[in-house]
Amino acid sequence: MTERPEVASCSAVDPDGVPRAPETLLVQRYDRPAPRYTSYPPVPCWGPVGPHAHAEALDGLTREPAPLGLYVHLPFCGERCWYCGCNVVIAPDRTVADDTIDAIEEEARVVSARLAPRPVASLHLGGGTPNFLAGPQLRRLFAALRGAFEFTAQTRVDVELDPRTLEPETIEVLASLGARRVSFGVQDLDPAVGAAIGRVMDGERVSECIRAARRAGIQGVNLDLMYGLPRQTPESVRRTLRTLLRERPDRFAVYGYAHVPDMRPQQRRLEPHGLPGAAARAELFHVVKETLVDAGYLPVGLDHFVVPSDDMARAVATRTLHRTFQGYTTHAATDLLGLGPSAISRLTLASGDRAGGVAYMQNAPADKVYRRHLAGGRLATERGFVAAPSDVARGCLIEDIMCHMAARVPEGWSGFEGEREALRPFEEDGLVMIEADRLEVTETGRFFVRQVARTFDRHTRPLVDRPEAAA
Ligand code: SF4
């Protein structure tokens, strides 16, 4: 049996006599790499899958007019931020994107030809930097999507934006195309942190972008922040938050930096600046949480904070919050179609011998390979997984834990005896409360919710100490 580090060896106060956050005291025991559970099984467990399996899964979807979600991955950026973990293409100018837009248009045509008519509930543009595209390119992309799929007045359009390069007319174009929520990638405003991660962000610039979005009629504003970066201190993080709070954004998404230099070699450029250890990361997150909760924001799931009037707060209250490859979402689409290089589809199989299962299908991540497949009129699928109904049920339980910090289990934990046993230390440390048919994650346990969810994961357990398992 592996010996666990003793929590009692941690001091409850730091060397300056300031009380430490409860999360900081427990990280030695629980902070291990774990999936973010945007799917179950998580991406590292998937294997090679080709276009034929993808086409078969599309043919097995419901013939009902059930809502559909669309995700379009636009991988282009003008330059690479050193901390970046995304699939990006560094492009010298915008014309580089033209061929990929052609390929996305072809993919939309090939995919939609296999579907029954269904309304699009949501469209999310991610990247990369969607505002790398010029106005005419965005219009062409939307025209292609509207030509292939059934958009309605209720279709919700969300777009990720980089405030450093956002042009005023781009926000106007996006608003005219139906964008109602934007997500600005801020990460941190401290100049020393910005210099260490290759992304210097100006607070006044972010404020201007938020105001421009609201003037254009885009009411939902999310800011993406990151903790665990070199040179971040509790005080620098508080300063960043105080500046951003002046504009009262609707949501903050606060992600932990994942250092995986074997997969993303440019991340090595952060190392000379020193990366905070697990306890320091927990302390930084605690500062974020304390500051935002004091400012009236509600914690949602693992890493979101929202104003009480936000859709996401309502989704928590009505237990309609979901978790997809875009993170937490209020959109309840039966199937999610991913278009573009590296994009992932989640397809609920309604017919055929795999009915009741879910197929995950991921496109080739390399832009050139993706375009080559589509130029030949075929889907660009490279990896995936077809989850059996038993996996789907387990995935729902894990999604409940990740979204609602609680889940129902069969009475007496029947069939989950191993999981019950694995959760005993979490219970003893006050991270979960366990009843005869229910599990609840406590407020202290929220920081460790991925580890709680992992106890129900049949696929990942042997992989959790591999860095890619953190994806
Ligand atoms: S802008 Fe975003 S996607 Fe592009 S390199 Fe920077 S972090 Fe990565």
Side-chain angles (χ1 to χ4, degrees):
M1 193 178 131
T2 315
E3 202 177 303
R4 292 186 307 170
E6 277 306 312
V7 171
S9 66
C10 301
S11 171
V13 292
D14 71 14
D16 299 325
V18 179
R20 283 182 170 164
E23 296 90 342
T24 316
L25 303 178
L26 291 160
V27 286
Q28 288 183 19
R29 183 173 293 175
Y30 293 103
D31 194 29
R32 301 280 182 274
R36 297 181 62 78
Y37 291 112
T38 52
S39 69
Y40 181 74
V43 178
C45 304
W46 301 358
V49 166
H52 181 71
H54 191 167
E56 213 172 56
L58 288 169
D59 292 344
L61 299 185
T62 180
R63 300 276 112 193
E64 300 293 316
L68 205 56
L70 295 182
Y71 170 75
V72 178
H73 189 80
L74 299 164
F76 305 99
C77 295
E79 56 186 47
R80 191 186 298 273
C81 311
W82 305 333
Y83 70 93
C84 180
C86 301
N87 179 48
V88 297
V89 173
I90 304 304
D93 68 77
R94 288 167 153 170
T95 58
V96 174
D98 283 332
D99 290 346
T100 304
I101 297 171
D102 287 345
I104 292 171
E105 186 168 353
E106 175 65 6
E107 187 179 19
R109 196 189 58 74
V110 171
V111 169
S112 64
R114 291 186 171 269
L115 303 181
R118 295 171 62 178
V120 175
S122 62
L123 164 65
H124 186 106
L125 296 191
T129 304
N131 57 294
F132 181 89
L133 268 55
Q137 290 174 313
L138 286 167
R139 286 204 179 88
R140 183 157 79 85
L141 174 69
F142 272 72
L145 297 173
R146 287 178 193 279
F149 300 102
E150 198 179 308
F151 281 64
T152 71
Q154 280 73 46
T155 303
R156 304 177 48 152
V157 180
D158 301 352
V159 189
E160 296 172 12
L161 298 170
D162 183 344
R164 297 173 305 167
T165 53
L166 181 63
E167 294 168 358
E169 61 267 32
T170 306
I171 204 91
E172 300 283 344
V173 169
L174 286 168
S176 73
L177 291 169
R180 291 294 169 264
R181 179 173 293 281
V182 287
S183 202
F184 291 111
V186 175
Q187 319 315 347
D188 195 292
L189 296 180
D190 189 276
V193 176
I197 64 171
R199 184 184 175 97
V200 176
M201 189 64 64
D202 175 57
E204 189 45 41
R205 174 87 188 134
V206 176
S207 294
E208 281 168 17
C209 289
I210 295 173
R211 285 182 225 139
R214 287 177 172 156
R215 273 198 307 276
I218 297 172
Q219 286 307 319
V221 171
N222 171 77
L223 302 184
D224 284 351
L225 301 184
M226 194 163 271
Y227 71 93
L229 295 171
R231 299 195 180 171
Q232 275 182 331
T233 66
E235 193 39 44
S236 77
V237 167
R238 268 190 211 101
R239 269 198 309 273
T240 288
L241 289 167
R242 277 200 293 265
T243 303
L244 297 172
L245 281 166
R246 287 185 204 140
E247 299 298 332
R248 192 83 182 155
D250 306 272
R251 295 180 189 168
F252 286 91
V254 188
Y255 302 114
Y257 168 62
H259 192 59
V260 285
D262 291 346
M263 295 164 67
R264 306 287 179 205
Q266 86 282 351
Q267 289 186 341
R268 291 203 197 284
R269 299 184 71 164
L270 274 62
E271 290 171 2
H273 304 285
L275 288 162
R281 284 167 62 93
E283 195 66 39
L284 290 168
F285 185 76
H286 186 76
V287 166
V288 171
K289 183 173 166 185
E290 202 175 51
T291 309
L292 293 179
V293 169
D294 282 354
Y297 286 75
L298 305 174
V300 173
L302 168 67
D303 46 22
H304 278 50
F305 297 86
V306 304
V307 293
S309 57
D310 189 87
D311 287 356
M312 213 170 253
R314 281 196 290 278
V316 171
T318 55
R319 291 187 71 85
T320 52
L321 187 69
H322 295 280
R323 191 151 171 83
T324 70
F325 300 106
Q326 286 80 63
Y328 291 107
T329 176
T330 57
H331 312 319
T334 312
D335 298 299
L336 177 70
L337 305 179
L339 308 175
S342 81
I344 298 173
S345 299
R346 182 193 189 279
L347 309 170
T348 306
L349 305 177
S351 60
D353 53 3
R354 290 177 163 179
V358 163
Y360 296 105
M361 297 288 156
Q362 181 169 29
N363 284 342
D367 184 47
K368 271 188 194 157
V369 178
Y370 167 78
R371 285 190 277 116
R372 197 169 57 231
H373 278 291
L374 269 309
R378 351 172 250 285
L379 293 166
T381 328
E382 268 197 0
R383 284 176 66 75
F385 193 97
V386 180
S390 58
D391 273 335
V392 176
R394 211 164 254 271
C396 289
L397 199 154
I398 287 174
E399 187 182 22
D400 275 348
I401 294 172
M402 295 299 294
C403 290
H404 303 291
M405 302 290 131
R408 289 245 165 243
V409 293
E411 184 69 28
W413 288 69
S414 171
F416 288 87
E417 291 80 4
E419 287 80 354
R420 173 71 186 84
E421 198 50 38
L423 285 166
R424 209 169 286 284
F426 292 81
E427 188 181 21
E428 287 164 8
D429 286 328
L431 303 184
V432 298
M433 291 189 295
I434 290 177
E435 296 168 21
D437 63 349
R438 191 169 178 274
L439 159 82
E440 187 171 332
V441 180
T442 64
E443 203 43 51
T444 304
R446 187 185 288 270
F447 186 72
F448 304 100
V449 65
R450 294 194 291 161
Q451 282 75 14
V452 175
R454 195 180 98 188
T455 61
F456 291 88
D457 182 347
R458 284 198 166 153
H459 292 271
T460 302
R461 272 183 260 175
L463 301 175
V464 289
D465 288 329
R466 284 168 40 184
E468 66 267 35

